[in-house]
Amino acid sequence: MTVWADRRVRWRAAGPRRSGAGVPEGYAASSGPQLVRTELADEAIRLARLLHRLLPRQPEVTGLLALLLLVDARRAARCTAEGDLVLLDEQDRTLWDRDQIEEGRRLVPDALANGPGPYAVQAAIAALHSEAADVAGTDWPQVVALYDVLARLAPSPLVELNRAVAMALRDGPAVGLRLLDTLDEQGRLAGYHLLPAARADLLRRLSRVEEAAAAYRRALDLVGNEPERAFLRRWLAEVVAAAGRPESSSTDRENPDDPER
């Protein structure tokens, strides 16, 4: 199953939140030809290390550094040499930076020691991903339980989106799709491409290919990052072929008179 949970981290002034958006961008650029903004990720880790040296006993500072290290450790596996996007379930885990993972994992217990904060919980989730040999071997019940904790600590629709993906991996795509449909109906993630992209993936898994194609087109209307656009186009072409209908040469139906769309 395509796993979108690994897709994006953005930093707020206090650090990273997979559950929220802010500036500057994290490892995934919101637009342009590159998937990874390596200079920003490197700077975030440098600043987090500095903060941790100054405040070594602050659990959320420790959690922040752990989260950054664990997420960034997967950087080399997130795209091919040609720049194509590779999601979590297809990544070559031998490319993950094991030294950085071990450093991050060692920080997690201290981050969780005196009552977890949002960064510590997200670091614990990232640690579970790093421990598994593959997506199927991930402790999804524990991941869901941690998202439940995160939803209480820092409720947001993006936490609910990530939790729905984890629920799909624990309980099956129909369960996750019901949760995503509820989010979609609420309109709280209108304009965020990963919601229709995740819906498209679950619909495809359920062999609802025409609905999946519509969701992929919706995601393409919203995404600005070119590697992500190329990834979504490939899946759109696949589900259109499965539906037995030819797709136009421009799979995201761009206006030929508007090359910047």
Side-chain angles (χ1 to χ4, degrees):
M1 174 179 178
T2 304
V3 178
W4 291 96
D6 190 48
R7 288 299 311 112
R8 186 176 302 278
V9 171
R10 294 191 177 191
W11 320 128
R12 302 187 71 173
R17 295 184 68 174
R18 279 168 67 164
S19 56
V23 292
E25 294 170 286
Y27 67 77
S30 59
S31 63
Q34 293 184 323
L35 174 67
V36 178
R37 300 292 302 273
T38 57
E39 73 283 2
L40 295 178
D42 289 342
E43 180 65 4
I45 291 174
R46 186 188 71 81
L47 292 173
R49 288 189 189 281
L50 175 61
L51 188 61
H52 188 249
R53 284 197 296 270
L54 294 171
L55 300 168
R57 296 185 180 180
Q58 291 293 324
E60 276 292 79
V61 172
T62 304
L64 167 60
L65 178 57
L67 175 60
L68 288 171
L69 291 168
L70 289 163
V71 170
D72 185 69
R74 302 194 289 266
R75 181 196 302 183
R78 285 198 178 95
C79 58
T80 67
E82 293 75 28
D84 294 331
L85 171 64
V86 183
L87 297 191
L88 184 62
D89 55 339
E90 297 177 342
Q91 288 178 11
D92 179 356
R93 298 189 178 212
T94 65
L95 297 176
W96 291 4
D97 187 331
R98 287 292 161 186
D99 290 338
Q100 193 164 304
I101 286 171
E102 287 307 309
E103 182 183 0
R105 288 176 59 189
R106 285 195 300 270
L107 294 168
V108 171
D110 287 343
L112 294 170
N114 296 312
Y119 294 150
V121 173
Q122 292 173 88
I125 293 169
L128 287 173
H129 287 304
S130 74
E131 293 166 3
D134 52 32
V135 165
T138 302
D139 188 348
W140 291 108
Q142 183 64 22
V143 172
V144 171
L146 287 167
Y147 274 121
D148 289 341
V149 174
L150 184 59
R152 292 193 295 271
L153 293 171
S156 83
L158 285 175
V159 172
E160 294 176 35
L161 171 59
N162 280 313
R163 180 179 179 276
V165 172
M167 290 282 286
L169 286 155
R170 187 188 72 175
D171 299 329
V175 172
L177 183 61
R178 284 196 296 271
L179 296 172
L180 293 180
D181 285 346
T182 298
L183 270 177
D184 197 25
E185 291 164 5
Q186 293 170 347
R188 292 188 293 156
L189 286 175
Y192 187 58
H193 72 283
L194 290 185
L195 175 55
R199 287 190 69 254
D201 183 65
L202 296 182
L203 288 162
R204 177 182 60 82
R205 294 271 295 172
L206 292 166
S207 299
R208 293 162 58 177
V209 290
E210 292 191 359
E211 293 172 87
Y216 279 124
R217 292 188 186 103
R218 182 179 169 200
L220 277 162
D221 283 340
L222 298 172
V223 68
N225 180 288
E226 184 53 38
E228 291 183 278
R229 293 180 67 80
F231 178 89
L232 292 168
R233 288 190 195 105
R234 289 195 297 272
W235 277 113
L236 174 58
E238 181 170 313
V239 296
V240 166
R245 297 190 312 174
E247 178 70 354
S248 63
S249 60
S250 180
T251 55
D252 53 344
R253 299 188 172 183
E254 293 174 347
N255 182 343
D257 297 323
D258 184 10
E260 295 300 321
R261 183 176 182 273

